[in-house]
Amino acid sequence: MKKFLIKGLLLATLAVTNFACEDDLKYGELVRDNRPAVPVTFQGATTYGGNPFIEIQASGPGTIRFTLSIPESTGRTIREITTVAGGGTGINAATLNTASAKYNTAPIPGNGTTAVFETTLAAFRTKYPSVATTVSPNPASPREIAFIFLITLDNGDQIVTQQVRVRIL
């Protein structure tokens, strides 16, 4: 009787777990990666599995330059960088709609499949005085600031990029 009960419970468990997981396709966008049809990359940026970043020196000109690029094979071009938002590393796509976080006052025109955003650390400090932009006392944990971009393509489609960071050394 004990073996029969154990086998019955095992079969019941298998039956329940077999039907407990519904087809993920039923949930659509909730369980899939949200990747744009036209990917945007950042030329010259580095990543170690997280957000791409560039490194700048706190001393000197402190030039921050991101070259945004889309593949030529898409047949699309970048009309403009419509909006740039900046701040600490906690910014996200919603930050593009926050007036105080907007970095640019006018769209930045594209050049074919690329567009360039350029500023300086001094300009960033003026725009966001509350964001820490000094060199970190711990060299293993550098200070970072971040940007996120809204790109408009030639056909009017808009793409929100991933967050990109600037490490201040």
Side-chain angles (χ1 to χ4, degrees):
M1 177 75 174
K2 189 175 181 180
K3 284 185 180 182
F4 179 74
L5 183 61
I6 291 173
K7 287 181 182 179
L9 287 174
L10 182 61
L11 285 173
T13 303
L14 288 173
V16 168
T17 57
N18 190 32
F19 296 106
C21 298
E22 294 187 35
D23 187 4
D24 286 346
L25 296 175
K26 189 181 281 186
Y27 296 105
E29 294 185 14
L30 295 176
V31 294
R32 70 173 176 81
D33 288 338
N34 190 10
R35 296 182 180 165
V38 179
V40 178
T41 57
F42 298 88
Q43 296 176 6
T46 303
T47 185
Y48 296 112
N51 293 326
F53 65 91
I54 61 170
E55 295 177 337
I56 64 167
Q57 298 296 320
S59 60
T63 302
I64 299 169
R65 180 184 172 101
F66 286 107
T67 302
L68 292 75
S69 178
I70 61 173
E72 289 182 16
S73 61
T74 63
R76 302 266 58 101
T77 59
I78 298 175
R79 178 190 313 158
E80 64 189 19
I81 300 174
T82 308
T83 307
V84 180
T89 57
I91 65 170
N92 56 37
T95 310
L96 290 164
N97 298 322
T98 306
S100 63
K102 288 187 180 175
Y103 198 83
N104 61 323
T105 55
I108 301 165
N111 184 17
T113 58
T114 63
V116 176
F117 168 75
E118 188 168 333
T119 190
T120 64
L121 189 55
F124 184 91
R125 287 176 175 146
T126 301
K127 178 72 176 167
Y128 308 106
S130 64
V131 177
T133 57
T134 57
V135 176
S136 171
N138 180 358
S141 178
R143 183 94 59 210
E144 293 182 336
I145 58 175
F147 293 93
I148 193 165
F149 303 90
L150 175 65
I151 307 296
T152 302
L153 302 178
D154 60 340
N155 64 352
D157 287 352
Q158 292 189 316
I159 301 170
V160 175
T161 69
Q162 69 187 95
Q163 181 193 95
V164 290
R165 297 183 179 194
V166 178
R167 288 190 176 174
I168 303 168
L169 306 174

